[in-house]
Amino acid sequence: MTLLGSPTGWYLPEAAHPYYVLAPHFDIDFAAPAGPNPPLDPASVENFKDDESVGFLQDDAVKARFAAAKVIGPKTVDVGEYAAIFYVGGHGPVIDLASHEGNIAVANEFYRAGKTVAAVCHGPAALVGVTGADGKSIFDGKAATSFTNDEEVTMNKVKDIPFLVEDRLNELGATFVKAPEQWGVKVVTSGTLITGQNPASAKGVGEAILSALKGEIN
């Protein structure tokens, strides 16, 4: 997967940090549009050298889960087996998941079943096609956050992506909230929807998911 010539995909700390919050308590499966071993944004490997991010890539259990990742779609993901769905960021979700019919079908099922739906950074882009049974967007009337326009400008990626996630959430009726400063931590829970602003918010999203699912901990 490339972003105008630059490799992209899922963003390392946004997977690693929530994973190590949740893995002690839940069985976790991975899914992606093409199934096993979805592409990793190499810049995230270069930029994040914390113990959890480095360890995530070396973790045999994680490697096995990536190798067995499901193709995301209603025929391959049985929503009844899961308590929640979580979308990692990186520019990948803006490029493929936002319009992926299988993803939208699965996320719709989670949302309409009243299950926790969570995303961090660019991950909310995967939810822009999701609606309730009433046809209203998952973001309509809810507080939510994502990677901000200002952060995208700072990264010099505005021209490279099909839409700005903050703008799209506002268009869909969200009350967009963000940290006072770029790269600050912001996690927002609104009903069954949990969103985080950026990589620094990923662990907090994991903790919010854990709190939401506390009645279902193994």
Side-chain angles (χ1 to χ4, degrees):
M1 182 184 296
T2 59
L3 189 71
L4 288 187
S6 299
T8 189
W10 58 272
Y11 211 71
L12 176 57
E14 296 170 11
H17 296 173
Y19 177 84
Y20 288 114
V21 172
L22 296 167
H25 307 286
F26 299 99
D27 294 326
I28 297 174
D29 289 331
F30 297 163
N37 299 313
L40 167 61
D41 187 328
S44 67
V45 180
E46 297 169 6
N47 294 336
F48 289 87
K49 303 293 187 182
D50 60 279
D51 289 346
E52 287 189 336
S53 294
V54 172
F56 188 75
L57 295 179
Q58 300 171 346
D59 190 321
D60 288 339
V62 171
K63 291 178 183 178
R65 287 184 169 95
F66 273 122
K70 299 182 178 186
V71 174
I72 192 164
K75 294 182 179 179
T76 49
V77 176
D78 182 353
V79 173
E81 295 182 355
Y82 300 97
I85 190 168
F86 167 60
Y87 291 90
V88 176
H91 284 102
V94 187
I95 296 170
D96 56 15
L97 288 175
S99 58
H100 189 279
E101 292 183 1
N103 168 62
I104 294 169
V106 169
N108 275 344
E109 195 172 345
F110 271 94
Y111 180 49
R112 295 177 187 187
K115 298 191 175 192
T116 296
V117 178
V120 67
C121 200
H122 292 86
L127 302 174
V128 298
V130 175
T131 60
D134 58 2
K136 293 182 179 180
S137 168
I138 188 174
F139 295 108
D140 188 31
K142 292 187 178 70
T145 191
S146 71
F147 203 61
T148 67
N149 289 354
D150 290 342
E151 288 167 332
E152 205 75 78
V153 169
T154 298
M155 293 294 292
N156 195 31
K157 293 292 185 181
V158 173
K159 66 182 183 302
D160 297 340
I161 54 176
F163 61 89
L164 292 168
V165 186
E166 176 181 343
D167 282 354
R168 185 61 57 87
L169 267 56
N170 281 321
E171 291 167 3
L172 292 172
T175 299
F176 193 87
V177 294
K178 56 187 177 182
E181 67 288 337
Q182 290 187 46
W183 317 114
V185 175
K186 175 60 73 172
V187 176
V188 181
T189 299
S190 186
T192 59
L193 176 66
I194 299 171
T195 50
Q197 181 173 324
N198 47 35
S201 307
K203 183 175 182 179
V205 170
E207 292 169 342
I209 296 170
L210 184 61
S211 178
L213 301 181
K214 58 187 177 183
E216 303 185 43
I217 291 175
N218 291 341

